[in-house]
Amino acid sequence: MASYFIGVDVGTGSARAGVFDLNGRMVGQASRAIEIYRPQADFVEQSSDNIWQAVCNAVRDAINQSDINPIQVKGLGFDATCSLVVLDKEGKPLTISPSGRSEQNIIVWMDHRAITQAERINALHHRVLDYVGGIISPEMQTPKLLWLKQHMPNTWANAGYYFDLPDFLTWRATGDDTRSLCSTVCKWTYMGHEDKWDASYFRQIGLEDLLEHDAAKIGRYVKTMGEPLGHGLSARAASEMGLIPGTAVSVSIIDAHAGTLGTLGASGVSGEVADFDRRVALIGGTSTGHMAISKEPRFIGGVWGPYYSAVLPEYWLNEGGQSATGALIDHVIQSHPCYETLLTQAKSQGQTIYEVLNALLRKMAGEPEDIAFLTRDMHILPYFHGNRSPRANPTLTGAITGLKLSRTPEDMALQYLATIQAIALGTRHIIETMNQSGYTIDTIMASGGGTKNPIFVQEHANATGCAMLLPEESEAMLLGGAMMGTIAAGVFDTFPEAMSAMSRIGKTVTPQTNRIKQYYDRKYRVFHEMYQDHMKYRQLMQEDA
Ligand SMILES: Nc1ncnc2c1ncn2[C@@H]1O[C@H](COP(=O)(O)OP(=O)(O)O)[C@@H](O)[C@H]1O
Ligand SMILES: O=C(CO)[C@@H](O)[C@@H](O)COP(=O)(O)O
């Protein structure tokens, strides 16, 4: 009987499961929506019970769809967004919300309630900040924990566990509360290269209580991805998922990092080999992550990391990112007066709204090579949810120039295109910054929901001048999770082995023409000027105050 491996991926909008064979071919897949609450501006919350239920249902559906016997499943790997889960001492959900509802027990990664706490931490210039790009982000866990301590003393007093969402999932699956090196290094300031928490940091920021009892609440045991947890799947979780108790479960990973496992080492039919200095993995979902790895630590201001062994053992990860990309595209189109009309049209044609907008752009341009030029007079500064990299400023905001008194579908298509182009220019800015610090990136290994969109992919190639390599298996996060399951089950010994057996390049998209390159060079200048103008406005208004 053939063996199969399951990857579970919890993104911002849904929980997904995929069943894979040892060649990395997916034989079954399912997805379930998850709830999201926004009780006030900058607050974004979820429920760990709701997410666990969605995970179990997705796993059951994926197995049914794949038509395999659960006994053939030999290993599982979980990935998820790096959101903060809070449980009481019995392991029950504990509120983190102004609503007071215990179901709302997750502060989602994109929540910006802790901007003040992050600023306070940054003012201390502690050495752990050297390992997060020089500036801690309110999207990371220690500012959020500080916010909780200051604003929700009851929750603070009653909390028994603080988990990164991926680690919550493996704890719920196995009963083992070991934490992942990926989450703890990337989001919790664990010093992976020294294999310890830095007590002086926790003391300085006022969270020294978290290190009591061997840091039991935030991570007493920290292990590398691929290591098996406890005795595998517990009887309870196995019955919830329709699997066999004892099935191997790997230490978890963050979603973008699983996408990196699923793509960064992929080989190609034309003999492409993985040169990690030249490759960046781009995971385009609600946000976008830009992941590059090196043998030596590279300290790049405004780019998260260097993170030791956060994706591949003994490699340092530099993680660039944009906090709102898919979320920004959706925000711009959903805010347009033509949204409902185009959505109805898309549904009646059995298409997505992106397909309808892409078709409209093709019609407006005449030739596919002319699409980029449609926005000569429309430019967007894409910092609607701050800038994660390389400016590392969560307080920045967005801007659009070139608006008219127009409310036509064509006008909506232009705003949609200009948004994609601005996001692509943000990626160019991040790659340029990485290339000033030792990388020679000219190849983007692309995955995530945004890369289902051919215009998103083509405009990223045009704006950056890089080749976009799309994996044969588009669900790269699920594949990365399944790879971890193969290692936990002892099928492969190392990630490079699993990567070369299970991931392949499917398609390459290259920049279109030299004329488009020159056009994007000009748009890139506008992109920078818009930021400078934005800062000038701020300065002017501060003088006014
Ligand atoms: N079929 C599609 N065509 C174009 N864009 C898509 C498609 N599906 C998803 N997207 C884009 O991808 C984003 C979500 O990506 P996804 O990887 O599913 O998200 P997450 O992992 O954050 O839950 C959406 O906001 C949307 O912009
Ligand atoms: O911070 C990170 C990754 O390190 C977040 O952007 C990430 O977890 C959110 O992922 P999605 O955009 O939902 O795929």
Side-chain angles (χ1 to χ4, degrees):
M1 267 201 306
S3 299
Y4 292 91
F5 299 85
I6 295 184
V8 172
D9 167 42
V10 179
T12 308
S14 63
R16 304 171 272 253
V19 182
F20 290 84
D21 67 16
L22 275 174
N23 292 317
R25 297 198 200 286
M26 191 161 63
V27 296
Q29 178 194 12
S31 165
R32 291 289 178 115
I34 55 181
E35 286 165 12
I36 194 150
Y37 314 94
R38 295 172 189 271
Q40 61 192 68
D42 278 342
F43 283 52
V44 190
E45 303 173 352
Q46 287 180 325
S47 151
S48 60
D49 280 351
N50 169 257
I51 288 178
W52 181 250
Q53 196 57 54
V55 164
C56 294
N57 291 337
V59 170
R60 278 180 177 279
D61 292 352
I63 293 171
N64 287 338
Q65 208 205 64
S66 62
D67 217 17
I68 61 160
N69 189 318
I71 203 157
Q72 293 175 273
V73 176
K74 303 297 181 198
L76 284 99
F78 290 85
D79 74 66
T81 65
C82 44
S83 302
L84 176 66
V85 182
V86 185
L87 303 178
D88 68 12
K89 295 180 175 87
E90 272 86 52
K92 303 228 164 51
L94 196 57
T95 188
I96 49 74
S97 174
S99 72
R101 297 176 73 230
S102 58
E103 301 92 300
Q104 288 168 229
N105 71 321
I106 301 183
I107 305 184
V108 178
W109 64 271
M110 73 200 310
D111 184 302
H112 276 186
R113 73 182 70 185
I115 286 187
T116 311
Q117 286 70 22
E119 282 169 356
R120 209 168 300 155
I121 294 173
N122 284 319
L124 298 171
H125 302 291
H126 192 278
R127 65 137 195 161
V128 303
L129 304 184
D130 295 344
Y131 295 89
V132 294
I135 298 176
I136 205 151
S137 159
E139 293 173 15
M140 293 175 177
Q141 309 301 16
T142 50
K144 286 178 172 148
L145 288 160
L146 196 52
W147 183 93
L148 269 181
K149 186 172 181 179
Q150 289 169 346
H151 293 268
M152 302 204 62
N154 282 342
T155 294
W156 194 255
N158 292 314
Y161 301 86
Y162 296 107
F163 279 114
D164 220 62
L165 181 55
D167 287 338
F168 163 79
L169 297 177
T170 50
W171 170 75
R172 192 60 185 73
T174 64
D176 183 335
D177 87 337
T178 294
R179 312 306 169 95
S180 144
L181 196 58
C182 176
S183 299
T184 48
V185 166
C186 297
K187 308 294 170 180
W188 297 69
T189 73
Y190 187 75
M191 296 284 97
H193 54 294
E194 296 167 6
D195 202 12
K196 63 169 194 170
W197 296 104
D198 187 321
S200 71
Y201 172 69
F202 282 82
R203 228 179 3 257
Q204 259 195 35
I205 66 170
L207 290 180
E208 60 278 11
D209 38 343
L210 290 177
L211 296 191
E212 284 167 10
H213 310 296
D214 237 355
K217 288 185 185 172
I218 61 169
R220 192 194 308 246
Y221 309 109
V222 178
K223 288 191 183 161
T224 315
M225 292 71 74
E227 285 195 53
L229 285 170
H231 303 289
L233 213 52
S234 68
R236 180 177 168 212
S239 97
E240 290 171 308
M241 292 180 168
L243 290 172
I244 309 297
T247 307
V249 175
S250 161
V251 168
S252 75
I253 195 166
I254 299 169
D255 55 356
H257 303 61
T260 307
L261 285 179
T263 54
L264 199 61
S267 50
V269 278
S270 0
E272 298 92 333
V273 284
D275 176 345
F276 292 135
D277 271 339
R278 291 178 52 193
R279 284 186 174 185
V280 67
L282 178 148
I283 301 94
T286 302
S287 58
T288 294
H290 307 78
M291 325 289 274
I293 59 173
S294 62
K295 276 283 183 189
E296 298 300 320
R298 289 177 175 157
F299 293 86
I300 311 177
V303 172
W304 288 348
Y307 295 138
Y308 183 68
S309 291
V311 176
L312 280 189
E314 292 166 29
Y315 278 87
W316 293 80
L317 168 71
N318 293 105
E319 178 180 354
Q322 294 163 289
S323 294
T325 54
L328 180 58
I329 295 170
D330 295 347
H331 173 76
V332 167
I333 63 180
Q334 286 167 12
S335 309
H336 195 275
C338 290
Y339 176 67
E340 291 302 333
T341 312
L342 261 67
L343 189 62
T344 309
Q345 182 191 331
K347 282 186 183 152
S348 72
Q349 294 169 353
Q351 290 186 321
T352 64
I353 191 150
Y354 314 104
E355 285 170 306
V356 169
L357 287 165
N358 290 351
L360 186 53
L361 287 172
R362 283 185 205 107
K363 196 167 140 211
M364 288 162 73
E367 298 295 328
E369 295 79 35
D370 288 339
I371 289 177
F373 300 114
L374 290 169
T375 52
R376 194 177 292 277
D377 295 319
M378 180 173 282
H379 310 285
I380 294 189
L381 187 65
Y383 303 156
F384 285 52
H385 197 53
N387 172 280
R388 189 188 288 177
S389 314
R391 304 198 190 283
N393 186 346
T395 70
L396 295 176
T397 52
I400 308 183
T401 69
L403 294 175
K404 290 184 184 168
L405 206 58
S406 155
R407 40 172 66 216
T408 61
E410 285 77 11
D411 169 65
M412 177 173 167
L414 287 185
Q415 288 184 26
Y416 158 76
L417 174 63
T419 307
I420 291 174
Q421 292 175 319
I423 291 167
L425 289 168
T427 287
R428 172 169 170 165
H429 193 195
I430 290 166
I431 291 176
E432 193 175 86
T433 308
M434 287 176 158
N435 283 349
Q436 283 159 1
S437 300
Y439 289 101
T440 49
I441 294 162
D442 60 8
T443 306
I444 297 176
M445 313 299 290
S447 64
T451 61
K452 291 179 193 161
N453 183 344
I455 290 197
F456 182 97
V457 174
Q458 185 62 66
E459 296 316 311
H460 273 70
N462 287 340
T464 60
C466 293
M468 299 283 286
L469 270 46
L470 300 168
E472 197 177 272
E473 175 46 69
S474 64
E475 297 296 337
M477 267 73 87
L478 293 177
L479 177 60
M483 281 180 189
M484 299 198 307
T486 65
I487 294 174
V491 175
F492 294 115
D493 290 332
T494 64
F495 278 107
E497 264 178 69
M499 284 165 143
S500 80
M502 297 177 79
S503 66
R504 287 166 294 279
I505 296 160
K507 187 178 171 195
T508 301
V509 175
T510 49
Q512 281 172 306
T513 61
N514 200 36
R515 206 173 128 238
I516 293 185
K517 181 192 173 304
Q518 287 162 3
Y519 172 77
Y520 265 108
D521 286 347
R522 288 195 296 276
K523 257 187 121 56
Y524 191 50
R525 281 172 54 196
V526 175
F527 176 86
H528 282 291
E529 299 250 336
M530 283 180 87
Y531 167 73
Q532 300 299 344
D533 288 344
H534 177 89
M535 297 314 276
K536 268 186 248 157
Y537 302 156
R538 273 199 176 180
Q539 184 65 38
L540 276 171
M541 295 315 289
Q542 268 167 14
E543 283 165 15
D544 191 39

